[in-house]
Amino acid sequence: MKISPNHPRFRSLETRERLVKGFQSGVVAPEGLIAHGRGEAFDYLFGEITPKSSRLATKAAVALLLGAKNPVISINGNTAALVSQDIVKLARSVPAGVEVNLFHRSIARERRIASLLKHNGADQVLGVNAKARVRIRGVASPRRSVDAKGIGDADVVLIPLEDGDRTEALRNAGKAVIAIDLNPMSRTSQAATVTIVDNIIRAIPELLRITLRMKPLSRSRLGAISSDFDNEKNLARVMKDMIGYMRGWA
Ligand code: ATP
């Protein structure tokens, strides 16, 4: 369906449309459509804008990515369908590896996502070579199996749209985890090193913009920015932003 840009809910409807197309082409899992619905509900509670508190998290996330030895961005179906192009640009500018990692895993879907990323300019996509896999301890889902050269060896992992179990397991494996999740109360948000509470359609372009701006900073400055960040405190600020917005309606 063609949606008019004048429609008051254009951005939201267009995003849904992209996910439906992604589902029809086998990139998005049916469960991904439901997960997006949960995200949309939280987005509404922030007035569908980036909460102020998320900007602090974005800076800390960029400091972690730029200061990392081997940063990797984990990609699932919804991320690929919504922000492939900007993810590839972000991976280039850090630079970071890109790895396909699915909860509802199938080889066909992994390949489709990899080819969508390549179509959008990615040179190398990890996670599609079954022989190169290692397991992360403490994860029951198929997401436990990761690329040895990618998430397996990463010190910093950016996980847009993740599940709580794996976030905890990646932390237990000694990795710094950056999550993007609209629900500040999810286990993922609570367990990550840095949580950006925002919609990925806004958060990834913003990460890219801030990365280009912070690239000239020294390692010690980057280290200071990331170690000054307190995720628990920031999530409390996010909750206050959400409550503040809802108070306006009450
Ligand atoms: P957890 O295990 O962390 O508690 P969950 O079970 O609540 O997670 P899932 O159903 O696995 O979560 O995944 C959906 C999560 O992704 C939700 O927290 C939802 O808010 C978030 N989400 C969905 N779409 C987006 C989006 N476009 N941008 C940011 N977050 C999103």
Side-chain angles (χ1 to χ4, degrees):
M1 185 183 78
K2 183 95 183 111
I3 302 151
S4 159
N6 299 324
H7 193 289
R9 305 207 42 75
F10 172 71
R11 190 97 206 261
S12 161
L13 294 176
E14 188 226 17
T15 303
R16 285 185 185 177
E17 206 55 31
R18 267 192 282 154
L19 284 171
V20 168
K21 280 198 186 121
F23 170 69
Q24 286 161 345
S25 66
V27 164
V28 172
E31 294 82 355
L33 300 176
I34 300 166
H36 181 74
R38 181 178 290 170
E40 272 192 340
F42 279 100
D43 209 6
Y44 220 103
L45 301 182
F46 288 106
E48 294 171 302
I49 55 157
T50 301
K52 257 195 220 149
S53 40
S54 295
R55 297 189 197 280
L56 267 181
T58 302
K59 267 181 87 176
V62 170
L64 275 177
L65 287 169
L66 291 175
K69 283 202 192 84
N70 184 17
V72 173
I73 306 175
S74 178
I75 311 287
N76 72 353
N78 286 30
T79 307
L82 294 178
V83 282
S84 269
Q85 214 170 40
D86 280 334
I87 284 275
V88 172
K89 284 188 195 161
L90 176 65
R92 276 231 178 102
S93 59
V94 173
V98 170
E99 174 167 343
V100 180
N101 189 270
L102 307 178
F103 188 90
H104 302 282
R105 186 165 234 159
S106 86
I107 291 173
R109 205 155 74 83
E110 278 173 354
R111 288 192 182 143
R112 274 188 212 112
I113 293 172
S115 74
L116 180 59
L117 290 164
K118 286 192 173 156
H119 177 76
N120 280 294
D123 301 325
Q124 197 194 7
V125 179
L126 299 160
V128 280
N129 178 0
K131 285 189 195 135
R133 283 180 187 158
V134 290
R135 284 183 171 206
I136 329 172
R137 281 164 180 258
V139 185
S141 81
R143 279 196 131 168
R144 66 178 169 258
S145 145
V146 296
D147 199 304
K149 285 193 187 145
I151 295 172
D153 185 46
D155 51 346
V156 175
V157 191
L158 168 62
I159 45 170
L161 316 184
E162 187 63 38
D163 57 284
D165 290 357
R166 203 168 72 121
T167 310
E168 278 167 22
L170 290 170
R171 289 296 307 273
N172 290 338
K175 299 174 197 296
V177 175
I178 303 162
I180 304 174
D181 192 333
L182 275 158
N183 177 4
M185 292 167 281
S186 74
R187 288 174 311 138
T188 302
S189 290
Q190 299 289 328
T193 316
V194 174
T195 305
I196 302 172
V197 179
D198 199 5
N199 197 320
I200 56 165
I201 62 170
R202 298 188 298 267
I204 299 291
E206 187 61 7
L207 272 171
L208 176 60
R209 202 175 65 80
I210 303 295
T211 297
L212 298 175
R213 205 164 77 193
M214 283 175 60
K215 254 195 121 152
L217 297 186
S218 67
R219 284 203 158 255
S220 64
R221 183 78 194 102
L222 292 171
I225 294 172
S226 54
S227 58
D228 280 353
F229 182 80
D230 181 331
N231 204 41
E232 204 180 321
K233 263 197 196 149
N234 205 58
L235 286 172
R237 285 192 199 106
V238 172
M239 289 302 298
K240 283 188 187 143
D241 282 344
M242 193 199 274
I243 293 164
Y245 176 76
M246 286 196 278
R247 224 176 246 136
W249 285 90

